[in-house]
Amino acid sequence: MKALLVGGGAREHALAWKLLQDDPSLELICAPGNAGIAEVADCIPVKATDIRGLAAFAERADIGLTVVGPEAPLAGGIVDAFRANGRAIFGPTKAAAEIETSKRFAKSLMAEAGVPTAAAQHYTDADAALRAASAMATPLVIKASGLAAGKGVVIARSSEEVERSINMMLRDCVFGDAGSEILLEQFMEGEELSIFAITDGTNFVTMLPAQDHKRLLDGDIGPNTGGMGAYAPVSIATSLLIDTVSDTVFEPTLAAMRRLGRPFTGLLYAGLMLNDDGPKVVEFNCRFGDPETEAILPLMDGSLLDLMMMVASGESIAGASPLLWKREFATTTVLAAHGYPDAVRQGDVIRLPPSPSGVHVFHASTVRDNESGQLSTAGGRVLAITGTGRTLAEASQRSASYAEKVTFEGRQFRRDIGKRDLERDAGAA
Ligand code: GLY
């Protein structure tokens, strides 16, 4: 079978790796891919957001399954376009993707479905937002309602920061349309957790929970990023907690999407906050998380491809068995470019030593010069290094020590991925 994978980051490299593990005879084509994906699949120079170009390619190449990595093509209606051509595609329709692309829609959906989340109010007018915010306690979360490339959330800790953030979004329009409506949301204390569910719209199976590390620097300080690392499994994600999240989050959310006539198919990502009040939803995403996917997939036993094919072809997954996981741990360390997350520099030469066993190297923003074969940086997050091991300490050590050996000018990475569980382990010992 021929499959098309849309995207070109480390998440897509991990997906490519897993799909080819599941079926080594799969003819995999990636659009646009990256230098690492090009080692395992054919890459075509079609942008992930070029829906017409991708749909035309899928017709010409008679693609049997399309898997979409990033949110932008989903927001642009790639699933609707492929389905109109009768092509199997894994992901939600444009209307269902609004669960990520409109934070306002997600909030009203959660209110209707009784899904636990922080209280929020929405505004399009800066004066009205400022008036309302002046009566609210800090920290206050200010969120652009639309897609803002992972930068649309500010946790404002002072009234000055609240004012600055509201003005930045509603008056200075730094996020354009994505920030033309904002949410003022109660801040939630606690520990974050990501849980993914693969769903046919009604039935779902949950994947191994993971924890992302969004701040740039060790100790969870510095600016927010797209994610500097992740680990799985997470000790606080007990089977009881997963059952609670299934019952109080996934089940009612999917039911509400069906009631609205927007059944959600594909992968639903619940970003959760855990505290003594139980799990609450911070955000939904309509696609695999990055870098959580790079940590989760190396631990997965059984076929992701078969499950994706069922969902993409509109089959029920009611009879699908729960997913099976290796009894191991995985830690992913992201190597980012000079200046990330703000003024990213590109074109730094990467030296990548051979990877030892227990280490997966997933490329994010890399390019290879056709003539010299030289690998260089081509964006903010450059590589994701996943170490696996029988303990989290072993997985983290493998990931960090290989990351240390990869060199490029201006390289940035965190050396404390998994620290919460490593500290809990140390405390328990
Ligand atoms: N790990 C955060 C995200 O994928 O949005």
Side-chain angles (χ1 to χ4, degrees), residues 94 104 119 160 198 221 225 250 257 325 360 394 417:
K94 179 178 174 144
R104 179 181 172 182
E160 293 74 29
I198 293 180
I221 56 171
T225 69
F250 288 119
M257 292 295 276
W325 303 96
H360 299 265
E394 186 177 48
I417 307 301

Side-chain angles (χ1 to χ4, degrees), residues 212 214 226 269 285 287 289-292:
D212 190 4
K214 292 217 174 71
Y269 166 142
N285 292 320
R287 37 79 196 170
D290 191 353
E292 295 96 319

